[in-house]
Amino acid sequence: MAWQLLPPELGFGSGQTCWRRLERWQQAGVFDQLHRILLAELNAAGRLDWSRACMDGSHIRAKKGGCRHRSVAGRPAEDG
């Protein structure tokens, strides 16, 4: 949903205000910290199946020259 389409009756302020708050929280590391806390608590409670975990680097910035792309086309699918 576009920020400008947020209904004012929800009480969040303007779309621009919401965007600025979200940006500040992101820059302050709020979401990374929440993610770490959630994973730690779920892990402590035995609620994570690490055998089915996967890494997704789509949101992690690669340092210059630190990212290599390789094709997976033509590879047979792995059973799992």
Side-chain angles (χ1 to χ4, degrees):
M1 169 187 273
W3 294 110
Q4 300 87 336
L5 299 178
L6 283 172
E9 58 269 13
L10 291 177
F12 298 129
S14 71
Q16 183 65 32
T17 298
C18 291
W19 182 87
R20 278 193 309 265
R21 287 179 184 158
L22 185 64
E23 180 68 15
R24 282 186 204 131
W25 296 341
Q26 178 66 31
Q27 293 298 321
V30 170
F31 298 108
D32 289 336
Q33 185 177 1
L34 285 172
H35 187 228
R36 280 191 217 92
I37 290 168
L38 177 62
L39 286 177
E41 289 187 10
L42 289 172
N43 190 51
R47 301 293 308 240
L48 293 179
D49 180 2
W50 290 106
S51 69
R52 299 192 45 93
C54 67
M55 180 67 103
D56 175 11
S58 64
H59 67 284
I60 299 172
R61 194 171 296 168
K63 294 182 179 180
K64 187 175 180 179
C67 183
R68 288 187 239 162
H69 297 279
R70 62 183 169 135
S71 174
V72 293
R75 288 187 182 177
E78 294 181 19
D79 293 334

mmCIF file with all atom_site columns, all heavy atoms in Angstrom, residues 70-77:
data_model
loop_
_atom_site.group_PDB
_atom_site.id
_atom_site.type_symbol
_atom_site.label_atom_id
_atom_site.label_alt_id
_atom_site.label_comp_id
_atom_site.label_asym_id
_atom_site.label_entity_id
_atom_site.label_seq_id
_atom_site.pdbx_PDB_ins_code
_atom_site.Cartn_x
_atom_site.Cartn_y
_atom_site.Cartn_z
_atom_site.occupancy
_atom_site.B_iso_or_equiv
_atom_site.pdbx_formal_charge
_atom_site.auth_seq_id
_atom_site.auth_comp_id
_atom_site.auth_asym_id
_atom_site.auth_atom_id
_atom_site.pdbx_PDB_model_num
ATOM 1  N N   . ARG A 1 70 ? 26.311 -16.718 -9.750  1.00 0.00 ? 70 ARG A N   1
ATOM 2  C CA  . ARG A 1 70 ? 26.521 -17.902 -10.556 1.00 0.00 ? 70 ARG A CA  1
ATOM 3  C C   . ARG A 1 70 ? 25.172 -18.474 -10.934 1.00 0.00 ? 70 ARG A C   1
ATOM 4  O O   . ARG A 1 70 ? 24.202 -18.387 -10.184 1.00 0.00 ? 70 ARG A O   1
ATOM 5  C CB  . ARG A 1 70 ? 27.379 -18.926 -9.839  1.00 0.00 ? 70 ARG A CB  1
ATOM 6  C CG  . ARG A 1 70 ? 26.796 -19.456 -8.579  1.00 0.00 ? 70 ARG A CG  1
ATOM 7  C CD  . ARG A 1 70 ? 27.781 -20.405 -7.926  1.00 0.00 ? 70 ARG A CD  1
ATOM 8  N NE  . ARG A 1 70 ? 27.293 -20.691 -6.596  1.00 0.00 ? 70 ARG A NE  1
ATOM 9  C CZ  . ARG A 1 70 ? 27.251 -21.891 -6.070  1.00 0.00 ? 70 ARG A CZ  1
ATOM 10 N NH1 . ARG A 1 70 ? 27.696 -22.913 -6.739  1.00 0.00 ? 70 ARG A NH1 1
ATOM 11 N NH2 . ARG A 1 70 ? 26.787 -22.082 -4.864  1.00 0.00 ? 70 ARG A NH2 1
ATOM 12 N N   . SER A 1 71 ? 25.126 -19.052 -12.081 1.00 0.00 ? 71 SER A N   1
ATOM 13 C CA  . SER A 1 71 ? 23.882 -19.593 -12.598 1.00 0.00 ? 71 SER A CA  1
ATOM 14 C C   . SER A 1 71 ? 23.595 -20.938 -11.966 1.00 0.00 ? 71 SER A C   1
ATOM 15 O O   . SER A 1 71 ? 24.499 -21.736 -11.737 1.00 0.00 ? 71 SER A O   1
ATOM 16 C CB  . SER A 1 71 ? 23.982 -19.746 -14.116 1.00 0.00 ? 71 SER A CB  1
ATOM 17 O OG  . SER A 1 71 ? 22.829 -20.391 -14.587 1.00 0.00 ? 71 SER A OG  1
ATOM 18 N N   . VAL A 1 72 ? 22.343 -21.181 -11.682 1.00 0.00 ? 72 VAL A N   1
ATOM 19 C CA  . VAL A 1 72 ? 21.927 -22.493 -11.210 1.00 0.00 ? 72 VAL A CA  1
ATOM 20 C C   . VAL A 1 72 ? 21.097 -23.189 -12.282 1.00 0.00 ? 72 VAL A C   1
ATOM 21 O O   . VAL A 1 72 ? 20.564 -24.257 -12.066 1.00 0.00 ? 72 VAL A O   1
ATOM 22 C CB  . VAL A 1 72 ? 21.127 -22.402 -9.889  1.00 0.00 ? 72 VAL A CB  1
ATOM 23 C CG1 . VAL A 1 72 ? 22.016 -21.936 -8.767  1.00 0.00 ? 72 VAL A CG1 1
ATOM 24 C CG2 . VAL A 1 72 ? 19.910 -21.534 -10.038 1.00 0.00 ? 72 VAL A CG2 1
ATOM 25 N N   . ALA A 1 73 ? 21.003 -22.563 -13.450 1.00 0.00 ? 73 ALA A N   1
ATOM 26 C CA  . ALA A 1 73 ? 20.243 -23.149 -14.553 1.00 0.00 ? 73 ALA A CA  1
ATOM 27 C C   . ALA A 1 73 ? 20.882 -24.457 -14.974 1.00 0.00 ? 73 ALA A C   1
ATOM 28 O O   . ALA A 1 73 ? 22.104 -24.588 -15.032 1.00 0.00 ? 73 ALA A O   1
ATOM 29 C CB  . ALA A 1 73 ? 20.204 -22.165 -15.719 1.00 0.00 ? 73 ALA A CB  1
ATOM 30 N N   . GLY A 1 74 ? 20.077 -25.420 -15.275 1.00 0.00 ? 74 GLY A N   1
ATOM 31 C CA  . GLY A 1 74 ? 20.579 -26.690 -15.765 1.00 0.00 ? 74 GLY A CA  1
ATOM 32 C C   . GLY A 1 74 ? 20.958 -27.663 -14.673 1.00 0.00 ? 74 GLY A C   1
ATOM 33 O O   . GLY A 1 74 ? 21.253 -28.813 -14.964 1.00 0.00 ? 74 GLY A O   1
ATOM 34 N N   . ARG A 1 75 ? 20.936 -27.230 -13.433 1.00 0.00 ? 75 ARG A N   1
ATOM 35 C CA  . ARG A 1 75 ? 21.242 -28.154 -12.336 1.00 0.00 ? 75 ARG A CA  1
ATOM 36 C C   . ARG A 1 75 ? 19.999 -28.977 -12.011 1.00 0.00 ? 75 ARG A C   1
ATOM 37 O O   . ARG A 1 75 ? 18.894 -28.438 -11.977 1.00 0.00 ? 75 ARG A O   1
ATOM 38 C CB  . ARG A 1 75 ? 21.661 -27.398 -11.084 1.00 0.00 ? 75 ARG A CB  1
ATOM 39 C CG  . ARG A 1 75 ? 22.999 -26.790 -11.165 1.00 0.00 ? 75 ARG A CG  1
ATOM 40 C CD  . ARG A 1 75 ? 23.354 -26.225 -9.825  1.00 0.00 ? 75 ARG A CD  1
ATOM 41 N NE  . ARG A 1 75 ? 24.629 -25.576 -9.885  1.00 0.00 ? 75 ARG A NE  1
ATOM 42 C CZ  . ARG A 1 75 ? 25.152 -24.938 -8.869  1.00 0.00 ? 75 ARG A CZ  1
ATOM 43 N NH1 . ARG A 1 75 ? 24.519 -24.860 -7.736  1.00 0.00 ? 75 ARG A NH1 1
ATOM 44 N NH2 . ARG A 1 75 ? 26.319 -24.351 -8.976  1.00 0.00 ? 75 ARG A NH2 1
ATOM 45 N N   . PRO A 1 76 ? 20.174 -30.254 -11.717 1.00 0.00 ? 76 PRO A N   1
ATOM 46 C CA  . PRO A 1 76 ? 19.013 -31.033 -11.301 1.00 0.00 ? 76 PRO A CA  1
ATOM 47 C C   . PRO A 1 76 ? 18.513 -30.601 -9.931  1.00 0.00 ? 76 PRO A C   1
ATOM 48 O O   . PRO A 1 76 ? 19.305 -30.150 -9.103  1.00 0.00 ? 76 PRO A O   1
ATOM 49 C CB  . PRO A 1 76 ? 19.548 -32.469 -11.248 1.00 0.00 ? 76 PRO A CB  1
ATOM 50 C CG  . PRO A 1 76 ? 21.037 -32.342 -11.142 1.00 0.00 ? 76 PRO A CG  1
ATOM 51 C CD  . PRO A 1 76 ? 21.404 -31.015 -11.770 1.00 0.00 ? 76 PRO A CD  1
ATOM 52 N N   . ALA A 1 77 ? 17.236 -30.685 -9.707  1.00 0.00 ? 77 ALA A N   1
ATOM 53 C CA  . ALA A 1 77 ? 16.662 -30.308 -8.414  1.00 0.00 ? 77 ALA A CA  1
ATOM 54 C C   . ALA A 1 77 ? 17.122 -31.314 -7.364  1.00 0.00 ? 77 ALA A C   1
ATOM 55 O O   . ALA A 1 77 ? 17.260 -32.503 -7.628  1.00 0.00 ? 77 ALA A O   1
ATOM 56 C CB  . ALA A 1 77 ? 15.142 -30.310 -8.491  1.00 0.00 ? 77 ALA A CB  1
#
